[in-house]
Amino acid sequence: MKLKYPLLILIFSCLSILEVTAQSFYARGADRKFVFTAGTGIANYYGDLANDGQFWVQPNLTVGLRYRFWDRLSIAGDITYFTLRGDDAKANDIGRKNRNLNFMSHNVEFATTLHVDLFPVPSRFYARRAVNPYFFIGIGGVTVNPTTKLEGTKYNLRNIETEPGQSYGAVTYTIPMGFGCSFRVSPFVNIAVDGGYRFTGTDYLDDVSGPRYMPFDNESLESQLSDRTREILPNDPDRWPSNRPEESQVRGNPDNNDGYFLMNFRVEYFFSFGSGGKMHKRKRSTRRYKPKKRRRR
């Protein structure tokens, strides 16, 4: 996330330039149905490696474009880059600590959402309300690429089978749903804050789902990354789950898919394409003034 702050400075600088340029349109500007959005926020993961009552928030960056097709309705397309993380070492119960699984992933979400404003946005957009709550729901896709480290080496868990006979894709669907509120700070700019949960089509955001471990094998990378209890209890192999009968193994819970929560702080800029953004100026007459001739008496 080293580029986070320079990118934010660039975004705010560009918006400031656009704001100054746009002032000449304020008096007679046409309706601006498009809104460019950019911002940052936090992400939190929910799944088999999450801890009840604990939040392990990670940063995100988002950029998007929204089109208002009715006074209360608009459709948006957003791209969000975020990080998810989970770790049994942070758990409160000893069973989770002994399981000793963890993951970290950098994800990209592509989403299309319908925004429903509480108050209508008038055709003269600069006369909109100072505060306007909204609801959003949509559909999109998110990348799935959990990673972990073993003895200092990073591994992509999606490429390694850590559960018998189980594999999963690099992308799954997501259903974003949440609430937000926009605050008008100038005729052309809003500040918005929103938060929403993402339901997904996978239980493998964290690489943990099924109840079974890979069969014990000290030479197998799959087995070592599947059952990491041996790192916590190296001298007690009878307590390693991979050494137990399959019916007594409990690695994950396949009944519920993983999910995540995103909260974003955005800058929104109103604009339009083509002639819609031009000023409506009164046409000047091309006729030249000709003085009337005086009649001679």
Side-chain angles (χ1 to χ4, degrees):
M1 302 302 295
K2 293 181 179 179
L3 295 178
K4 174 184 174 182
Y5 296 107
L7 180 60
L8 287 177
I9 293 172
L10 177 62
I11 290 172
F12 279 100
S13 299
C14 291
L15 288 174
S16 298
I17 294 172
L18 289 171
E19 173 69 4
V20 172
T21 305
Q23 295 306 316
S24 60
F25 293 104
Y26 178 42
R28 298 179 182 179
D31 185 14
R32 298 190 171 197
K33 296 181 179 293
F34 290 92
V35 180
F36 169 77
T37 68
T40 185
I42 58 176
N44 194 52
Y45 145 83
Y46 297 90
D48 292 281
L49 300 184
N51 305 309
D52 294 338
Q54 295 183 5
F55 295 91
W56 198 346
V57 295
Q58 301 293 309
N60 75 54
L61 291 173
T62 183
V63 64
L65 185 67
R66 192 166 73 246
Y67 174 74
R68 175 166 49 85
F69 60 90
W70 200 44
D71 58 0
R72 279 189 174 90
L73 300 179
S74 57
I75 190 166
D78 295 279
I79 301 175
T80 305
Y81 173 83
F82 60 99
T83 301
L84 298 178
R85 189 186 298 266
D87 194 342
D88 279 340
K90 304 293 183 179
N92 295 322
D93 65 279
I94 191 64
R96 285 279 308 278
K97 288 182 180 293
N98 287 341
R99 188 176 63 171
N100 195 37
L101 298 175
N102 65 80
F103 89 101
M104 190 271 288
S105 65
H106 298 296
N107 308 78
V108 178
E109 177 193 86
F110 303 84
T112 300
T113 54
L114 176 69
H115 283 234
V116 183
D117 291 309
L118 179 61
F119 303 113
V121 178
S123 57
R124 294 182 178 181
F125 65 96
Y126 47 79
R128 64 192 181 279
R129 288 178 177 263
V131 179
N132 198 351
Y134 58 88
F135 165 79
F136 65 89
I137 187 171
I139 191 168
V142 63
T143 57
V144 182
N145 57 345
T147 65
T148 192
K149 286 186 177 182
L150 177 63
E151 297 178 350
T153 301
K154 185 177 180 179
Y155 295 96
N156 188 323
L157 292 168
R158 189 174 61 82
N159 298 329
I160 300 172
E161 185 177 314
T162 59
E163 296 180 356
Q166 299 298 320
S167 61
Y168 49 93
V171 179
T172 188
Y173 73 83
T174 180
I175 300 176
M177 180 186 303
F179 296 90
C181 191
S182 61
F183 304 88
R184 178 168 57 86
V185 296
S186 83
F188 298 92
V189 176
N190 282 348
I191 296 294
V193 180
D194 60 46
Y197 186 80
R198 269 62 174 173
F199 299 89
T200 75
T202 184
D203 193 26
Y204 282 101
L205 288 179
D206 49 18
D207 190 61
V208 180
S209 177
R212 304 291 179 255
Y213 290 82
M214 295 296 289
F216 173 73
D217 181 356
N218 264 333
E219 303 301 324
S220 167
L221 179 62
E222 291 85 355
S223 179
Q224 293 180 56
L225 293 177
S226 175
D227 178 9
R228 306 193 67 170
T229 303
R230 66 190 75 179
E231 299 171 31
I232 302 295
L233 304 170
N235 300 319
D236 196 356
D238 291 338
R239 296 178 62 182
W240 300 351
S242 55
N243 274 339
R244 300 173 188 169
E246 287 190 358
E247 57 271 14
S248 66
Q249 296 179 6
V250 182
R251 188 172 192 265
N253 178 13
D255 296 333
N256 299 310
N257 284 347
D258 297 331
Y260 56 97
F261 177 85
L262 296 180
M263 174 174 281
N264 291 308
F265 302 86
R266 308 172 190 264
V267 176
E268 303 180 336
Y269 175 75
F270 288 75
F271 72 102
S272 63
F273 288 110
S275 59
K278 294 181 179 180
M279 289 178 59
H280 297 289
K281 294 183 178 180
R282 184 178 298 174
K283 294 182 178 180
R284 294 182 178 179
S285 175
T286 56
R287 297 179 181 179
R288 294 183 178 180
Y289 173 72
K290 295 182 179 180
K292 292 182 180 181
K293 296 181 179 180
R294 295 181 179 181
R295 293 181 182 180
R296 294 181 180 179
R297 294 181 180 180

